[in-house]
Amino acid sequence: MRTPFVAGNWKMNKTIAETRDLVSAMSSKLREISGVEKVLCPPFMSLAAAFALLEGSGIGLGAQNMHWEEKGAFTGEVAPGMVKELCGYVILGHSERRAYFGETDEIVHRKLIAAQKFGLTPIVCVGETLEQYESNQTREVVTRQTSLGLKGVSAEFAPRIVVAYEPVWAIGTGRASTGEAANVVIKDFIRPAIAELYGEQAAQAIRVLYGGSVTGANAAEFFSQPDVDGALVGGASLKVDDFVQIVSQSKS
Ligand code: PGA
């Protein structure tokens, strides 16, 4: 049995003061929901404030990105050890990082190796663009992203990886995929790619989330699918009621 997993990706939203307000407003409600791993991913600048409010709450904290090197002359970057001081999780290879900041599968892979080294649980994002979707390349794209991104970690670490299937055309568009379609991609493309790398047992142990326009209204459709283990939520994770509703529906 895979424990359901829901993470809120705040993206570049909320100042430190706004983070305090939002975390305070949701944490008491989220604490009451058991049986699901819950993670908030505010911007770097807000992590310390969120950390102070979440300590001992059972709600995890994640970064939205990090560099793969341990330290050095990388102006503007944040090292894995710095993330680890505050966070248990890190989102890697989000499609916005791939599209706007040139992240390749090789870069995602280096970051995954750094996550392993520093004991961070990585949430690795994969997913096809609209153009790739329309030209029937979904299988090829998510298989490649999964194989190249996830390769090369230890057999012990592999089951800890969380994968988020996020079709790019569904992110922030209000045009979510369907539960059934997401389940097919996860079951037939993503898990087999993981099985190639780490065997069937690991492929069945790894949590695979759906992401892309998940709301309180459509979350149940995704969670009812056998191979969808939770959600990576963007816009709706900034709304207390919506996010609490999504988390409470994810329970097994
Ligand atoms: P969205 O974003 O829920 O706003 O579509 C999801 C994501 O980018 O992780």
Side-chain angles (χ1 to χ4, degrees):
M1 269 310 284
R2 300 181 291 262
T3 305
F5 189 108
V6 178
N9 172 14
W10 292 14
K11 310 193 179 185
M12 198 173 72
N13 295 292
K14 304 299 174 187
T15 62
I16 293 171
E18 290 165 348
T19 295
R20 288 202 184 99
D21 290 346
L22 186 56
V23 170
S24 304
M26 35 175 83
S27 62
S28 55
K29 295 181 184 176
L30 290 175
R31 282 176 86 140
E32 289 166 22
I33 308 166
S34 57
V36 46
E37 204 165 326
K38 305 153 267 192
V39 181
L40 302 181
C41 305
F44 282 126
M45 294 297 291
S46 291
L47 286 172
F51 178 84
L53 291 168
L54 290 175
E55 246 190 315
S57 69
I59 301 164
L61 190 60
Q64 299 171 15
N65 177 38
M66 67 181 185
H67 200 274
W68 62 88
E69 292 286 351
E70 288 179 32
K71 62 180 174 183
F74 300 100
T75 301
E77 290 293 324
V78 176
M82 300 169 188
V83 171
K84 180 65 182 179
E85 284 187 294
L86 298 172
C87 298
Y89 304 81
V90 61
I91 298 172
L92 299 179
H94 189 278
S95 63
E96 288 150 16
R97 303 261 357 137
R98 294 179 190 256
Y100 308 141
F101 303 99
E103 283 199 14
T104 60
D105 293 322
E106 173 57 26
I107 290 175
V108 175
H109 171 63
R110 284 187 211 163
K111 294 181 177 189
L112 182 82
I113 298 299
Q116 170 177 245
K117 181 161 185 188
F118 284 85
L120 288 157
T121 297
I123 303 167
V124 181
C125 304
V126 300
E128 80 284 5
T129 64
L130 181 61
E131 199 187 346
Q132 292 163 336
Y133 174 70
E134 286 175 342
S135 56
N136 282 319
Q137 289 178 275
T138 302
R139 177 196 286 267
E140 186 190 324
V141 171
V142 302
T143 301
R144 189 196 69 229
Q145 290 174 336
T146 305
S147 307
L148 297 180
L150 268 60
K151 69 181 182 197
V153 299
S154 69
E156 296 74 55
F157 186 73
R160 266 186 68 182
I161 299 172
V162 177
V163 177
Y165 168 54
E166 300 204 305
V168 179
W169 46 269
I171 295 178
T173 57
R175 179 190 171 192
S177 184
T178 63
E180 216 172 311
N183 197 70
V184 166
V185 172
I186 295 169
K187 177 173 165 287
D188 294 343
F189 309 160
I190 296 177
R191 291 200 198 279
I194 298 169
E196 273 290 305
L197 294 171
Y198 301 111
E200 190 55 33
Q201 214 175 330
Q204 291 305 323
I206 284 179
R207 269 86 56 86
V208 186
L209 320 177
Y210 168 76
S213 296
V214 174
T215 64
N218 66 17
E221 179 192 338
F222 293 99
F223 299 153
S224 68
Q225 297 292 328
D227 277 282
V228 180
D229 302 316
L232 180 56
V233 185
S237 74
L238 300 168
K239 300 177 198 148
V240 177
D241 292 343
D242 241 11
F243 192 62
V244 169
Q245 195 184 348
I246 293 167
V247 173
S248 61
Q249 288 177 338
S250 73
K251 295 199 299 175
S252 44

